[in-house]
Amino acid sequence: MRFLFCIIAFLMIGQAIERPTFEDFVAGYERNKASMFNYEGLPAFVLSENLLAVLKLPNAKLNKYVKYDPFLNLYLVRTDFSLIPTPMGDEEKLTRNDWVGVWDPNKPYIGHIKYLAQNINERDQLDFNTKIGLLGTACCEMMGIALDDNSFIGNRYLKHFMKYNDVYWGDIGVDFALRENKIYVNKIRKNGQFLINDEVISVDGTPVKSLRKLNEKILFADPGSTLYFQVLRDNVDLNISTEVFAKDISMFNLPNTKPKVKPTNFRSNLGLSVNSSLIVTKVDPKSKADLAGFMVGDKILRVNNAIVKDFKNLQTILAGGNDFNILIQRKSSKLPLHNFNDNLLGNINTNGDGNFQFFIRLKK
């Protein structure tokens, strides 16, 4: 018996991967330190040549970013300067014998991946004390972003995170559970095709053996794509096709990061609509502007002898008075007397290019 134990121990030692030294990870830090830095006071990690993952810390936030993902607690930032990304490895291929660490020049953070999360509401786990930083091998492959609670965000999540400008994670409205090494429908939130206790046999023709891989196949699926399930229901095989939609994130009350569209048009309650070039785009029939003589195409130059810079300026002027002398420029073809002798046009001034300038009086 003791001989058998010694043989097994010898084989285990022979197959074990030698623990890398602290100096190995210091060398990894030196090779990859350009991929991690502070961005506006927050830890930032390079994902591509112009994309950063910035970790949100308590009582701190960024003012400019592509999106904030509440599941990962990361901002996605697009930079206008070039970045140096670290090659991404595949954390799913690592075994319990493979060594990983948080690249740090001062203290060793070295160990193994303990557990890969089953769903987005969990975190991948490490079996050693950690700090916020890049998680990688002793050589040069990044495996994810380490947090300070022995957890990390794996590359498979980071690759999906950087794929979309909006927060998007796939969903089919069904939750699954593992029971006796089989995967069953455990809860139905928004899907009329499944029933509770349906046993999942395969997805897209691939046998389902891992709850994590099933959940991540849905999470990482493109919006609007279709997944094909084979399920066993009351000992009867069924084929179900279901469309992937965006996971509901309304409970997070995320801020709108989309830039506000600048107004391109201003409408006065006097019946006058003006665009950003101060050209009249609409005159309401029988309005005060219509009765005063405004026409579509007129360009507003001055109001009460003051140059008008933009339609916000015009809006402020019209809101602050009651009687206005407005200098406009109009094409000669739109003048009521354009077919008559120029001497009949009186004090109307032309600038020599077929456009005439004159005043219109507008009262509230």
Side-chain angles (χ1 to χ4, degrees):
M1 186 71 179
R2 176 180 294 180
F3 176 76
L4 179 62
F5 175 79
C6 291
I7 292 294
I8 294 173
F10 176 79
L11 291 174
M12 290 180 65
I13 293 172
Q15 293 179 356
I17 299 174
E18 183 180 356
R19 177 187 173 94
T21 66
F22 172 51
E23 287 70 25
D24 293 330
F25 279 93
V26 171
Y29 168 81
E30 291 297 329
R31 281 192 292 268
N32 299 291
K33 61 184 179 182
S35 297
M36 41 190 162
F37 54 90
N38 277 352
Y39 183 83
E40 296 185 11
L42 296 176
F45 307 96
V46 176
L47 300 179
S48 73
E49 291 183 357
N50 71 333
L51 288 178
L52 281 175
V54 181
L55 182 66
K56 186 180 185 301
L57 298 180
N59 303 317
K61 65 177 182 178
L62 295 184
N63 294 315
K64 185 179 179 181
Y65 49 92
V66 176
K67 66 178 177 182
Y68 168 70
D69 191 311
F71 292 109
L72 302 184
N73 195 35
L74 293 176
Y75 294 105
L76 182 66
V77 174
R78 182 172 287 108
T79 65
D80 54 6
F81 53 90
S82 296
L83 302 168
I84 304 175
T86 298
M88 283 187 171
D90 187 350
E91 71 276 19
E92 295 181 279
K93 291 183 178 180
L94 297 180
T95 70
R96 282 286 292 153
N97 291 325
D98 291 305
W99 294 93
V100 294
V102 184
W103 288 321
D104 184 274
N106 302 311
K107 183 178 177 182
Y109 298 91
I110 304 172
H112 305 283
I113 291 178
K114 180 179 180 180
Y115 170 80
L116 292 180
Q118 298 292 297
N119 210 334
I120 196 171
N121 297 316
E122 292 185 289
R123 283 278 187 264
D124 297 332
Q125 298 294 319
L126 299 163
D127 67 358
F128 58 97
N129 292 331
T130 59
K131 56 164 280 185
I132 294 173
L134 276 185
L135 178 74
T137 61
C139 176
C140 56
E141 280 193 325
M142 167 184 170
M143 293 296 164
I145 297 174
L147 306 176
D148 56 3
D149 58 358
N150 301 357
S151 69
F152 73 102
I153 303 169
N155 285 343
R156 64 197 190 283
Y157 281 94
L158 294 176
K159 289 176 180 178
H160 181 87
F161 168 68
M162 62 192 287
K163 188 174 180 181
Y164 301 97
N165 287 336
D166 296 310
V167 180
Y168 165 74
W169 298 95
D171 194 4
I172 61 169
V174 176
D175 296 329
F176 303 94
L178 181 66
R179 300 198 298 267
E180 298 178 349
N181 294 321
K182 296 180 180 180
I183 296 174
Y184 295 91
V185 173
N186 187 57
K187 181 179 180 181
I188 297 172
R189 293 174 280 106
K190 188 181 178 182
N191 197 314
Q193 300 183 81
F194 291 87
L195 293 180
I196 292 177
N197 291 326
D198 282 350
E199 181 186 346
V200 181
I201 306 300
S202 68
V203 180
D204 291 347
T206 302
V208 173
K209 298 181 180 179
S210 165
L211 179 61
R212 176 180 68 80
K213 287 187 177 295
L214 172 59
N215 286 331
E216 290 181 359
K217 186 172 183 62
I218 298 169
L219 284 172
F220 302 154
D222 292 328
S225 60
T226 301
L227 296 178
Y228 299 92
F229 283 75
Q230 180 189 0
V231 303
L232 189 63
R233 179 183 299 168
D234 297 330
N235 294 320
V236 176
D237 279 324
L238 295 176
N239 294 316
I240 297 174
S241 61
T242 185
E243 184 174 332
V244 179
F245 52 85
K247 183 175 288 293
D248 182 15
I249 59 171
S250 60
M251 73 289 291
F252 292 106
N253 296 319
L254 296 181
N256 182 10
T257 61
K258 300 295 183 183
K260 294 181 178 179
V261 178
K262 293 182 178 180
T264 58
N265 198 72
F266 156 64
R267 184 184 180 279
S268 167
N269 57 8
L270 299 174
L272 196 65
S273 295
V274 180
N275 67 16
S276 57
S277 299
L278 294 173
I279 294 175
V280 176
T281 57
K282 183 180 179 182
V283 179
D284 296 340
K286 298 183 180 180
S287 65
K288 292 184 178 180
D290 185 29
L291 295 176
F294 281 96
M295 297 178 66
V296 172
D298 289 347
K299 181 177 178 64
I300 296 176
L301 303 176
R302 293 173 178 264
V303 178
N304 293 343
N305 206 33
I307 296 175
V308 182
K309 299 177 181 178
D310 51 45
F311 64 73
K312 288 186 177 180
N313 183 208
L314 176 63
Q315 185 177 12
T316 301
I317 294 173
L318 294 182
N322 295 297
D323 194 349
F324 312 98
N325 281 321
I326 302 178
L327 178 65
I328 68 164
Q329 179 176 287
R330 179 180 296 174
K331 292 182 179 180
S332 60
S333 59
K334 290 192 174 185
L335 289 173
L337 302 176
H338 75 278
N339 288 322
F340 288 83
N341 189 292
D342 289 347
N343 293 329
L344 297 176
L345 297 179
N347 293 325
I348 298 176
N349 296 320
T350 177
N351 57 16
D353 58 3
N355 293 320
F356 289 81
Q357 296 178 3
F358 55 93
F359 285 94
I360 293 180
R361 189 171 185 186
L362 180 62
K363 289 186 175 183
K364 285 187 178 179

